[in-house]
Amino acid sequence: MTRTIDLSGTPFDEPCAQVGRDPDAPARSRQEALAYRAALVAVLGVPPEDYALEVVGNPHDFGTYYTVRLRCPADAALHDDAYEAMAENGLAHWLDAMMPAPYDYAPDGTWTAICPHSPSREAIERALITSRPAADGTFALDLFARLHANLRAGYPDHAARADLRIACIHEQSGATVH
């Protein structure tokens, strides 16, 4: 039987969409969960064989909110207890993955998306750009190399778009000097 572990929709010390407070919260919650799944991939790596990080909707009286769920293999021989524990412990902050929050929440409850069309995609691409190697292929920190490689492996389409943006950065005189 397949086991699942419900994780969170965002890092645990970050503000997030509050379903029931405004009608846009379910859509923001989904974007946050998509970005959080990528943040987990950045930090933990692509899930092991027969594991999957899935974004799932959770109906509630006030609307649907979204979380990341870890689907574990049915075959006990494939269980990776260390990966499960790290995923369940989660991340405290978006910056643990060098990723910006998809939304900025003000104390008065208002919010601003980092981009109007796909805040989760933009957060992933910005994490790839932030952790990018210098023009000579070296990374400023070993952490950047790991996060960048994990995101590239888990999100190749996002990486291709980020590569185009990084190429523009490298073309700028004196850019990406580490």
Side-chain angles (χ1 to χ4, degrees):
M1 175 177 215
T2 301
R3 230 171 15 100
T4 61
I5 302 170
D6 192 49
L7 307 175
S8 179
T10 63
F12 59 82
D13 268 350
E14 295 284 359
C16 61
Q18 299 295 311
V19 173
R21 289 208 174 166
D22 73 75
D24 295 324
R28 284 197 321 279
S29 175
R30 184 174 180 281
Q31 287 292 313
E32 289 170 339
L34 289 166
Y36 187 53
R37 177 180 63 189
L40 289 168
V41 167
V43 172
L44 305 177
V46 175
E49 180 182 352
D50 287 347
Y51 279 85
L53 289 168
E54 306 167 329
V55 172
V56 295
N58 301 284
H60 186 276
D61 291 347
F62 299 115
T64 300
Y65 66 95
Y66 292 83
T67 58
V68 178
R69 176 175 65 193
L70 178 63
R71 187 174 32 82
C72 306
D75 184 351
L78 295 174
H79 285 186
D80 186 331
D81 294 335
Y83 187 87
E84 290 179 24
M86 289 186 300
E88 202 164 10
N89 286 335
L91 306 178
H93 301 282
W94 291 108
L95 287 179
D96 294 343
M98 298 308 301
M99 186 176 287
Y103 299 93
D104 181 38
Y105 291 96
D108 67 0
T110 60
W111 53 271
T112 306
I114 62 171
C115 89
H117 303 294
S118 182
S120 60
R121 185 183 84 186
E122 183 66 16
I124 296 164
E125 289 178 21
R126 286 188 189 184
L128 283 156
I129 292 166
T130 299
S131 63
R132 73 187 177 276
D136 67 1
T138 61
F139 288 88
L141 300 171
D142 290 341
L143 171 66
F144 287 4
R146 182 171 51 86
L147 296 174
H148 196 82
N150 289 345
L151 282 172
R152 290 187 77 75
Y155 294 87
D157 292 342
H158 293 71
R161 283 189 298 274
D163 285 346
L164 295 173
R165 294 166 73 177
I166 291 168
C168 291
I169 292 167
H170 289 306
E171 287 175 5
Q172 296 173 12
S173 175
T176 49
V177 175
H178 294 285

